[in-house]
Amino acid sequence: MQERRGIRGVKSASRTVALLELLAERGEQPSRLDELAEDLGVPRSSMYQLLQTLVDSGWVRTDATGSLYGIGIRALLTGTGYLDGDRHIRAVRPYLDEASDALGETIHMARLDGRDVVYLATRESHEYLRTISRVGRRVPAHAGALGKALLAERADVELLLDEEPLTGLTENTHTDRGALLADLARVRERGYSIDREETVPGIAGFGFALRYGTPAVDAISCSVPVARLTPEHETRIVSVMSDIRARIESRLPPVSGVPDWR
């Protein structure tokens, strides 16, 4: 068990968190007791007791036979509480609506979490609809406009401390650190990031870090099908999103007395 600041982790709490994260990751794919116990390295009897406790409290759901398990509705309520309780997310939402109306494209807000970005809000394009909400989705930070906009706010030496391999989502994703650092240098120079089919084939993105914190942890982006991305439309996207960013940052200066969440 890991120790942090001299405090030992609580095994039961660690198991609970690992189980909930695993079930959330699997989404609609149900899991059986034996496979959950094996995947998490937990004795079958202990996993059964943990599952029953979480089913009773609504954090895990089970089918009529009691043999299949999935994430429960309490996880949704907690996630909604996170979104509703964050003043930055609340403040940015109206600007996402404004950008969506002005550009007619998909607009996102995301937050850096370790090596990934997590989508916090999305306004979908009326011309390019997705069937699955992006809120809560994780994407490697190096693989798209949102993440690259935030990585560019950090020094290269800090980024090089991470020796984990860079995962490729498409053939255009940066998997070489040298190429990624060169791209981040261009992001710093122009003031925003560009993702040309690095996350999803056929989709380009433009990311803008929100600098109401140092270093920035939140960013907004505009995604557009490459088939619709003319030079004129790209220029308009950059203009509108740059203006939106400036107005968000002017509205959200650091406030004393507000927790500096880590």
Side-chain angles (χ1 to χ4, degrees):
M1 296 176 62
Q2 295 181 347
E3 294 188 16
R4 182 181 181 186
R5 296 178 182 176
I7 301 175
R8 287 182 59 82
V10 178
K11 181 183 292 187
S12 59
S14 298
R15 284 180 175 176
T16 301
V17 171
L19 172 60
L20 292 174
E21 289 182 343
L22 178 59
L23 291 175
E25 181 181 338
R26 292 183 175 178
E28 296 181 359
Q29 179 184 351
S31 301
R32 296 185 179 276
L33 170 62
D34 289 342
E35 62 182 301
L36 290 172
E38 180 178 354
D39 289 346
L40 296 178
V42 176
R44 189 178 187 279
S45 59
S46 298
M47 178 57 69
Y48 178 77
Q49 294 176 21
L50 178 55
L51 283 167
Q52 295 312 304
T53 300
L54 293 174
V55 167
D56 291 343
S57 59
W59 282 92
V60 171
R61 59 180 173 174
T62 188
D63 69 333
T65 67
S67 60
L68 297 176
Y69 298 92
I71 195 71
I73 197 168
R74 286 288 174 184
L76 171 63
L77 300 177
T78 300
T80 301
Y82 177 88
L83 296 174
D84 292 343
D86 189 291
R87 74 183 186 96
H88 292 129
I89 301 173
R90 294 198 309 270
V92 169
R93 281 171 176 160
Y95 293 98
L96 302 183
D97 294 332
E98 185 177 334
S100 178
D101 291 340
L103 296 170
E105 304 294 353
T106 301
I107 310 297
H108 304 295
M109 178 187 183
R111 179 164 293 166
L112 191 65
D113 181 38
R115 304 179 79 243
D116 302 330
V117 292
V118 179
Y119 287 82
L120 302 176
T122 291
R123 301 294 182 267
E124 295 284 2
S125 166
H126 295 300
E127 298 187 45
Y128 183 71
L129 295 176
R130 292 182 179 272
T131 57
I132 301 176
S133 172
R134 284 181 179 267
V135 174
R137 179 188 177 198
R138 303 180 71 91
V139 172
H142 69 275
L146 288 159
K148 291 195 299 180
L150 292 169
L151 292 181
E153 297 291 306
R154 287 146 177 83
D156 286 351
V157 64
E158 180 182 349
L159 301 178
L160 288 171
L161 293 176
D162 185 355
E163 298 181 354
E164 291 293 322
L166 301 178
T167 303
L169 300 185
T170 74
E171 62 181 15
N172 295 324
T173 306
H174 291 304
T175 56
D176 175 77
R177 273 187 166 69
L180 175 62
L181 294 178
D183 192 358
L184 296 181
R186 293 190 291 271
V187 173
R188 298 182 189 108
E189 182 178 353
R190 76 168 78 92
Y192 60 91
S193 65
I194 302 177
D195 161 9
R196 299 196 187 276
E197 302 184 79
E198 296 171 35
T199 309
V200 179
I203 300 296
F206 302 84
F208 301 77
L210 299 176
R211 299 170 179 137
Y212 42 63
T214 305
V217 295
D218 294 344
I220 57 174
S221 74
C222 176
S223 297
V224 55
V226 293
R228 247 193 357 253
L229 186 60
T230 64
E232 295 76 17
H233 192 30
E234 180 170 333
T235 298
R236 175 159 172 74
I237 288 172
V238 172
S239 175
V240 169
M241 296 298 290
S242 296
D243 177 67
I244 291 288
R245 169 170 63 183
R247 288 193 286 126
I248 291 173
E249 291 175 346
S250 67
R251 180 180 174 183
L252 287 169
V255 178
S256 62
V258 175
D260 181 17
W261 297 111
R262 291 288 187 262

